[in-house]
Amino acid sequence: MTDFHELYTRYAGDIYRFALFLCGDAAEAKDITAETFARALTGKAPLVSATAKGYLLTIARNLHIESMRRRKRHVELSTELPASDPHLEQSVDQKTELDALQRFLQSFPELDRAALLLRADGMSYDEIAQALGISLASAKVKVHRLRLKLAEWRADREKL
């Protein structure tokens, strides 16, 4: 795959979603996405269309790991909302649910989150194992265990 525009158009959304769920911050996810494509464009090895997505996701994951190592502290900003209207309230509820899910996912090791997110993105277990540098059995176990924990979390939230 030599056409960079086609590569970006096809995979930018997937890379952004993956980065967003890894880091939990939209601005950082945009930075990781941009840097992923910059590195892919300037990389020494030519991209092959059969492996492009896995290669890009691996770059994005490595960028996230680098970012975590550089980050000395992380401070969450408080969110104060303006006066409520019906549409805003629904948006806030959805955002609150998404934030809670991201916090829940952040409580697990990065490798486990990456395996689950890659599987949710449609990658096969073989591709996940290769992208993360783990065995096929380990990839399956990580995804299965995190799915079970996610199902428990959702059931607990529905009880509230």
Side-chain angles (χ1 to χ4, degrees), residues 138-155:
S138 181
K140 289 179 178 181
V141 167
K142 288 182 181 307
V143 170
H144 178 71
R145 286 183 180 164
L146 200 50
R147 279 183 174 167
L148 289 176
K149 290 178 182 179
L150 186 58
E152 278 180 29
W153 178 82
R154 291 183 73 179

Side-chain angles (χ1 to χ4, degrees), residues 72-93:
K72 293 184 180 180
R73 66 180 194 206
H74 182 185
V75 179
E76 286 191 30
L77 299 175
S78 64
T79 55
E80 294 184 23
L81 300 174
S84 180
D85 77 36
H87 298 297
L88 179 61
E89 191 170 317
Q90 182 181 9
S91 296
V92 169
D93 288 343

Side-chain angles (χ1 to χ4, degrees), residues 47-113:
L47 285 175
V48 179
S49 63
T51 61
K53 185 174 181 179
Y55 179 69
L56 292 169
L57 290 168
T58 301
I59 292 172
R61 179 175 173 259
N62 290 337
L63 287 168
H64 169 66
I65 291 169
E66 285 176 22
S67 173
M68 285 178 21
R69 287 180 184 149
R70 280 188 307 239
R71 188 180 307 138
K72 293 184 180 180
R73 66 180 194 206
H74 182 185
V75 179
E76 286 191 30
L77 299 175
S78 64
T79 55
E80 294 184 23
L81 300 174
S84 180
D85 77 36
H87 298 297
L88 179 61
E89 191 170 317
Q90 182 181 9
S91 296
V92 169
D93 288 343
Q94 289 173 348
K95 173 132 177 51
T96 302
E97 185 72 17
L98 180 59
D99 289 345
L101 175 61
Q102 286 180 335
R103 279 192 306 278
F104 176 73
L105 289 174
Q106 294 294 325
S107 69
F108 295 98
E110 184 274 332
L111 193 62
D112 294 0
R113 288 191 324 263

Side-chain angles (χ1 to χ4, degrees), residues 117-129:
L117 295 170
L118 291 172
R119 183 63 183 162
D121 200 39
M123 289 183 79
S124 71
Y125 288 109
D126 287 328
E127 292 172 321
I128 293 168

